[in-house]
Every structure is written in C-alpha cells, then in structure tokens.
Amino acid sequence: MVAMLDAFKRVAGGEGREVFLISGEAGLGKTTLAAETARAASDGGACVLFGHCEEDLATPYQLFAEALGHYVTHAPEEQLVAHVDAHGSELVRLVPALSSRLPGLPPSKATDADTERYQLFAAVVGLLAVVSQHQPVVVVLDDLQWADKASLQLLRHLIAADQPMRLLVLGSYRDSELSRSHPLLETLAGLHREHGVARIELTGLDDTGVISLMEAAAGHTLDDAAVGLARAVYRETDGNPFFVSEMLRHLSETGAIYQDSTGRWVTGDTLEQLALPDSVRVVIGARVGRLGRDAERVLSLAAVIGRDFDLDVLARATETSEDELLDVLDAATAASLVRELADTPGHYNFAHALIQHTLYEDLGLTRQGRAHRQVAEALEDLCGERPGFRVGELARHWFSATQPIDVGKAIDYSRRAGDAALGALAPADALRYYAQALDLYAKCDGTDPVLGIDLAVGFGTAQRQTGDPAFRETLLGAARRAADLGDTGRLVAAALANNRGLFTAAGTIDADKVEILELALDRLPTHDPDRALVLATLCGELLYGSTLERLQALADEALAIAESSGDDAIIVRVLNNVSFPLRVPPLLGQSLVRSADALLRAERIGDPVLLFWAAWQRAGAAGWAEDIDEMDRCLEIMGSLAEQLDQPNLTWVHRYACALQAQIAGNTEQTELLATEAL
C-alpha cells in the first residue's frame, strides 16, 4: 500500500500516470488493498472512480461505463461542457447519463463502427484528462479476469495514450484463473511494455500473520492453546485471509470455540479432538445450511443470477413474494453472506465471489440447467420483447439451460447479444456471442438458412473489426449461400462487409471477392445506392488486373449513382475508393478535381476517418501535380486526425506519407526515421 500511495503522490504532483496491477488468488485481499489506497487518495483530494466485472455477465465496456457513469452523474456541468466541446456526444454511447446532464447533444459524426470506436476511446481519454486538470484521478478496476474484451482494449488504449493526465489506475485480478488463451494475458503483456506500470503479487499470510490476524480480531494476545489453534487454521487455509475468517466464523457458530468469562477465545475440546473442515466450501455450505432449506434454495438461485442480483428477478425466479424474500435476504445479510448495495435499493451482491461460486457449484449440472431456465424466464417476464442491456444475460442463461427445447431461444438471444455488442462498438464480445450461436446452429436440423447467413455476416464483421483475417472466408461463404438462396440483400451485405476500406492486397487480384462483387452487381437494381458502393469496391479490387477503360467505367457509374442519392457520405466513400485506381498521369486533372470535392464534402460531414482518407487521396494528387503546399496542408489534416483517434492504421499511413514528404524535401535521414516508424 505504501508503494501505491507514493505513486499517488507522484501522480498528484504531475509526474504522469501510473498503473498498479494487483494479482493473487481469491480471498487474499486484493480488493481491500485497492479500496484502502483509493480511500486514502480520496482523503488527499483525488477523484476516485470504481468499476467491477462479474463472471460471464460482463457487458461491453462495463468497467468504464460504471466508473465514468458515476462521475458524469455528479460532475460539475462546466467540466462536461468542456468535454463535449472537444469530443461531441461520443461518450453518450458509454454513459447515457451525459445526455440527461446536457440535453440536446449533437449526434455522432462517425459513419462507420471503427470510426465510432476510436472516437469513443478518444472521448474516454479526453474526459479523464479534463477531470485530472482539476484534481488527481484514481480509477479502481476490480476482477479484471472477468472483464469484457472491449474494456481491456480501452484500458490498453488509456494507458498508452499520449495525452497528459494525473491518473493512477489500480487493477486487481486472479492470476490462478488465467488460461493460456485468456484475453487478459495479452493485455498484461501489452501493459508491461508501458512506462509506469507495476505489478503486486499477493500471497497468503504465514503462521505468524494468522496469529496476528486472530489477535487483532480478539483484541488480546493469544495464549498457548489459541496459538496452537491459529497454527492449525493456518495449515488448513494456507494463510488465505478470507479462508481464515470463514473458518473462525464457522468454529464460533458451531460452538467449537467460544469466549470465556474473561473474553478470551477457548476451545471446547482439546486441539487434537478439534475437527477442522477441509475446505472453505464446506464452511460456506454449512453457514448457508444453518439458515434453512428455503434460504438455501433462494441463495442458490441468486448464485445462478450472478455475483450481483436484483430483488425483482430473484422474486420471479423463485416464485417467492418480495416480503418473504426480504426476510431470507435479511438473515443472509446478518450472516455476512450477502449485502444490499447502499446506493441502489433492491440490488444485492454476495459478500465474496467464493460464496457465490460455492452455492452455484453445489447445485450440480442438472439443477444448474433448470435454474438457468428459471432465471431466463424471469428475465423474459421482466424485460418483455425489448431486453435492452440485459440481452447478454438472457443469452447466457438460455445457453446454459441446455435442454433441446430451448436451443431456438439460446440461438436467438446469442444472435441478439452479438448484434448488440457490435452496436456497442465491442466486436470482440460480439465474436463470442456469434460463435456461441453458430455452434448451436450447427447442431440443429432443418434450421432456417437465412438465420445461418445472418449469423455468418455478423461473425465475419466482428472478425474483420478485431483484425482476424479469417473474416474473408467467413463472409465469402455467407455471400455464396445468400446467392444460392436468391437473397440479394444479404449477398450485398456480405460482399460490402468483406472490405477493409482499400483493395485486398498490392500487386494481385482477389478473384473470389471480385466474383462475389460482380454477382452482386448482376442482381442489384440500376439506381440502388448500394450499387454505387459495390461498383467502387470492385474498382479498387481490380486495381492490379484490369484496363483503365474498365476502371473508369466502374468509377463513373458509381459516382453517378452516388451523386443521384444526394448522400455526401456515400459520395465521399465512392471518391475515396476509386481515387487510387485512377491516379494515373492522363487523369491527373480529374484526380485533382475529384479529390478537392471529396475533401470539401468530408469536412462538411465531420466524420474524422472519411476526412482522413479524403485528405490522403488529396495529398497524393497534389504531390503528383507538384503542389507541395497543398500536399503539406493535407498531411497536417491527416496528422491531427491520427493523433486525435490514435488508430494504428491511420498512424501508419500518416507516417508513411510523411516519409514521402521528407524524401521530396531531400531529407533522407528523416525519411528513414519515418519509414521505420511506419513499419
């Protein structure tokens, strides 16, 4: 704790951000250590923000939605106004409370999901930077082993961002629960390379530490018999503080130890006769059992809901009146098994994750499946046709219900959860839901083929957004199945999703993609706006294997349809796609006119990524025309946007373009430096 408080002093003094990652098994006090540090920092004037995760129940960006949501709800209005002036309404997607604090916010100017995601990341960094101008900020992120991938990506982005801020991040996780493929391992490896990141690994108490813990609880020094008990407890618990406390509570409640007339703890039997439970699960199970069968049934269903649970869901799942339920929960609270959250009446959580785990695992597989079904039906009853943010919970419970009759619902909710994750700019989480749905879909006979195509398009889109090159084959397969069904809409959706914004590869043609794009063109109506995008995409794909005449024809038709639509975003996308294939000496004049038009429209739209690519195309055309001043102006636009969004693809292209700029200026040393940075 001393090291973390020293770090806070450095942060508060303006020496830059620092990160402490606290690891250890459950029950060692990771959360307590972070909380005590945060409390001391708060006493020192810090703004403390807290976010936590639950196993299997994380929603996209849950860590930061919780942490920033509290701040936005209570922040001074002038700080929120300053943030919106710089970042618009991007944060509303993560923290809806912002629109309540500042009504009438303008809509996002982004026109695609990747742009929105990086604008959201920039908005989060920007908000914390604004707050830290007024007071140092401590962000506590608990149970990172259960964090959604979107939160982990945002955490890496925050720590790596160049923007100065007075920020201390305290993250806790259980290293014993990290498999080799766990996403947190990649995050930890990435953070390890960042300056100011330290790790603290907690271990259990030694026998002296257990004695000190028992003396602190008893309020007096231990006699020889009590010291012997402490050492026996140490041997059974390996010094885990939570296990030690639970073991002592169990011994006290069963009368195995008691306080004598002087207030000292003594045993009823000799130490040799004292039977200690062989695991904390036995201890927790016995404590729950002492509350009675009704309480055990209720708490077991609460454990199926999760570490956190709501009174209304539990009442419906257990078919118990709220009055009866409150009696059970009051007794469980008195036994330190659960606690009601002070700031959210009707919301409870288990006092420790191990209590919830024990209750859940003791159900057995068959009862777990039945309990998941009860909870799923209770959620459906509460949410109706619009589950909103709870769609992920419904997907999890129906998937775990396992009965064949429920497979249709499990697929449907998994698909809807995947759609919601894509909409929430969390493609890594969408991947998990779509994969879950596709796995179930593959096991069903006679399932709707259209559903299979929709699942594949969603899965392929999520693959592309997360950088998985397998997206190409996924979307080609979906497009072919749509073509076989005569479903033009889904054929086009799959074809357009199978594109990263530029041609597939330099120096070659992707014949499979070209085949699908040409098939889509054969089936699309003449004036359909999607036809413009398909034509422009095909023009880019044919860069290295078609005649100039055909490339011109594709571009001209695409631009005519786009202009007739009157949609500036479509026009700019078309112009950006066809600019590179048509940048040849005979068409230089046309390139200058079209690139100027694209840049002007992109500035009017305000989408930063559209503007970046328009500036890039304009810089290239200006360079060919020997208009170095215009090229430099466009590179400045690109640099500003690349810095603002901190998106690797944009940073790479900007460095590469600047290397060319340095080469033209005759500065070979700078050219080499920039080219190496781009690489």
Side-chain angles (χ1 to χ4, degrees):
M1 183 170 170
V2 172
M4 292 192 289
L5 288 177
D6 287 343
F8 171 70
K9 292 176 183 176
R10 291 192 295 271
V11 166
E15 295 184 34
R17 81 203 69 184
E18 295 201 34
V19 180
F20 277 87
L21 300 168
I22 310 165
S23 65
E25 67 178 28
L28 291 179
K30 301 181 297 297
T31 302
T32 300
L33 176 61
E36 289 299 320
T37 303
R39 186 174 293 111
S42 178
D43 292 342
C47 170
V48 175
L49 306 176
F50 176 81
H52 83 296
C53 292
E54 288 186 72
E55 187 175 16
D56 296 326
L57 289 175
T59 55
Y61 302 107
Q62 177 176 322
L63 282 172
F64 290 92
E66 181 178 359
L68 300 182
H70 178 80
Y71 176 78
V72 168
T73 301
H74 301 92
E77 185 173 311
E78 60 271 15
Q79 290 185 20
L80 298 181
V81 170
H83 171 76
V84 169
D85 286 344
H87 297 278
S89 60
E90 301 303 330
L91 199 65
V92 170
R93 181 182 290 276
L94 192 63
V95 187
L98 180 61
S99 60
S100 300
R101 292 292 312 275
L102 300 177
L105 291 174
S108 171
K109 293 181 179 180
T111 59
D112 69 87
D114 279 338
T115 305
E116 285 187 273
R117 184 150 49 109
Y118 278 95
Q119 284 188 300
L120 175 63
F121 284 16
V124 170
V125 173
L127 179 65
L128 291 173
V130 167
V131 179
S132 72
Q133 290 174 3
H134 302 275
Q135 59 186 136
V137 180
V138 176
V139 177
V140 180
L141 303 175
D142 199 23
D143 284 326
L144 287 174
Q145 76 278 357
W146 294 330
D148 59 287
K149 287 187 178 180
S151 288
L152 294 178
Q153 289 171 339
L154 180 48
L155 175 60
R156 286 186 64 176
H157 185 90
L158 171 64
I159 302 308
D162 292 332
Q163 200 160 345
M165 64 184 80
R166 295 186 293 164
L167 174 68
L168 175 64
V169 177
L170 307 176
S172 68
Y173 65 96
R174 300 182 195 172
D175 48 359
S176 59
E177 297 191 16
L178 304 184
S179 65
R180 290 186 178 181
S181 60
H182 198 289
L184 180 57
L185 287 181
E186 181 183 352
T187 302
L188 294 173
L191 293 179
H192 181 68
R193 294 189 290 269
E194 298 294 337
H195 175 71
V197 177
R199 295 194 190 186
I200 296 176
E201 184 177 352
L202 298 187
T203 57
L205 303 170
D206 56 17
D207 58 350
T208 303
V210 173
I211 292 171
S212 298
L213 178 65
M214 290 180 61
E215 287 180 337
H220 57 73
T221 57
L222 303 184
D223 57 22
D224 290 343
V227 167
L229 172 64
R231 287 175 173 154
V233 169
Y234 165 72
R235 288 193 297 272
E236 291 295 333
T237 63
D238 288 328
N240 184 300
F242 175 74
F243 295 179
V244 170
S245 299
E246 289 298 300
M247 191 74 75
L248 293 173
R249 179 190 293 274
H250 172 76
L251 294 173
S252 173
E253 290 178 352
T254 57
I257 62 174
Y258 60 92
Q259 286 181 294
D260 65 12
S261 58
T262 66
R264 289 184 174 273
W265 288 99
V266 296
T267 65
D269 300 307
T270 65
L271 191 59
E272 290 74 20
Q273 295 173 315
L274 186 64
L276 294 176
D278 59 4
S279 77
V280 74
R281 286 185 60 183
V282 173
V283 171
I284 293 171
R287 181 137 55 100
V288 173
R290 286 192 287 274
L291 297 180
R293 294 185 64 85
D294 285 345
E296 188 172 0
R297 179 180 69 90
V298 166
L299 292 176
S300 294
L301 260 174
V304 172
I305 296 172
R307 172 84 185 273
D308 296 351
F309 57 92
D310 297 340
L311 184 66
D312 51 0
V313 176
L314 186 58
R316 282 171 168 79
T318 58
E319 297 181 343
T320 305
S321 72
E322 288 197 359
D323 285 341
E324 293 177 288
L325 203 56
L326 285 171
D327 289 340
V328 170
L329 293 176
D330 285 346
T333 300
S336 297
L337 292 166
V338 303
R339 57 196 173 203
E340 185 174 12
L341 303 184
D343 55 345
T344 50
H347 296 264
Y348 290 78
N349 70 8
F350 285 95
H352 198 283
L354 286 171
I355 298 173
Q356 183 237 339
H357 276 195
T358 296
L359 287 165
Y360 182 79
E361 291 167 7
D362 284 350
L363 281 173
L365 290 176
T366 302
R367 289 190 180 277
Q368 284 173 6
R370 292 184 61 188
H372 278 292
R373 181 186 178 91
Q374 288 175 259
V375 174
E377 290 174 341
L379 282 168
E380 283 187 331
D381 187 32
L382 274 171
C383 300
E385 293 297 315
R386 297 185 177 182
F389 71 93
R390 307 198 83 151
V391 68
E393 292 179 66
L394 280 158
R396 168 183 173 252
H397 290 302
W398 280 119
F399 182 75
S400 300
T402 66
Q403 297 181 31
I405 195 174
D406 300 328
V407 170
K409 281 195 172 185
I411 293 173
D412 179 56
Y413 280 116
S414 295
R415 177 187 62 79
R416 291 164 70 178
D419 293 346
L422 275 184
L425 311 180
D429 297 296
L431 269 180
R432 174 168 55 90
Y433 288 120
Y434 288 129
Q436 183 173 288
L438 284 166
D439 181 60
L440 292 171
Y441 177 86
K443 297 174 182 177
C444 298
D445 295 327
T447 309
D448 180 6
V450 171
L451 173 60
I453 294 169
D454 288 341
L455 290 174
V457 171
F459 187 64
T461 300
Q463 285 177 314
R464 190 196 74 237
Q465 291 184 12
T466 54
D468 182 353
F471 78 87
R472 177 184 177 277
E473 290 301 322
T474 300
L475 293 167
L476 283 174
R480 291 188 178 109
R481 293 198 298 277
D484 291 343
L485 286 177
D487 192 326
T488 301
R490 287 179 169 82
L491 166 61
V492 171
L496 291 177
N498 206 353
N499 179 270
R500 293 173 298 178
L502 292 171
F503 48 85
T504 299
T508 186
I509 290 180
D510 190 328
D512 292 322
K513 282 191 181 181
V514 168
E515 177 190 358
I516 292 298
L517 290 165
E518 289 179 334
L519 190 58
L521 285 179
D522 288 342
R523 301 187 182 187
L524 274 169
T526 305
H527 298 294
D528 191 315
D530 280 342
R531 184 177 180 85
L533 296 174
V534 173
L535 284 161
T537 303
L538 179 59
C539 181
E541 290 292 349
L542 291 174
L543 168 63
Y544 291 101
S546 186
T547 64
L548 179 58
E549 288 74 21
R550 187 178 183 201
L551 295 176
Q552 281 185 282
L554 291 170
D556 289 346
E557 184 184 353
L559 192 53
I561 296 171
E563 288 175 341
S564 68
S565 74
D567 188 325
D568 272 348
I570 293 178
I571 294 170
V572 174
R573 287 185 189 282
V574 167
L575 287 169
N576 284 347
N577 270 310
V578 305
S579 176
F580 203 86
L582 298 182
R583 192 185 298 166
V584 293
L587 300 179
L588 179 56
Q590 175 183 277
S591 293
L592 288 169
V593 171
R594 286 182 172 177
S595 62
D597 183 33
L599 186 60
L600 185 63
R601 292 177 188 269
E603 288 173 332
R604 189 160 63 226
I605 295 168
D607 181 306
V609 173
L610 277 183
L611 179 57
F612 178 92
W613 292 118
W616 183 52
Q617 300 293 0
R618 178 64 179 170
W624 277 43
E626 301 179 12
D627 187 348
I628 303 303
D629 288 341
E630 176 66 359
M631 185 182 77
D632 291 347
R633 183 181 77 88
C634 291
L635 288 177
E636 285 183 13
I637 294 173
M638 292 170 63
S640 175
L641 294 169
E643 182 180 357
Q644 171 192 331
L645 294 176
D646 198 21
Q647 184 174 345
N649 194 35
L650 305 187
T651 303
W652 158 60
V653 172
H654 178 246
R655 292 284 197 283
Y656 181 82
C658 287
L660 176 61
Q661 180 187 40
Q663 190 176 32
I664 291 172
N667 189 339
T668 54
E669 185 176 340
Q670 182 71 358
T671 301
E672 181 72 18
L673 175 64
L674 290 166
T676 303
E677 286 182 6
L679 178 63

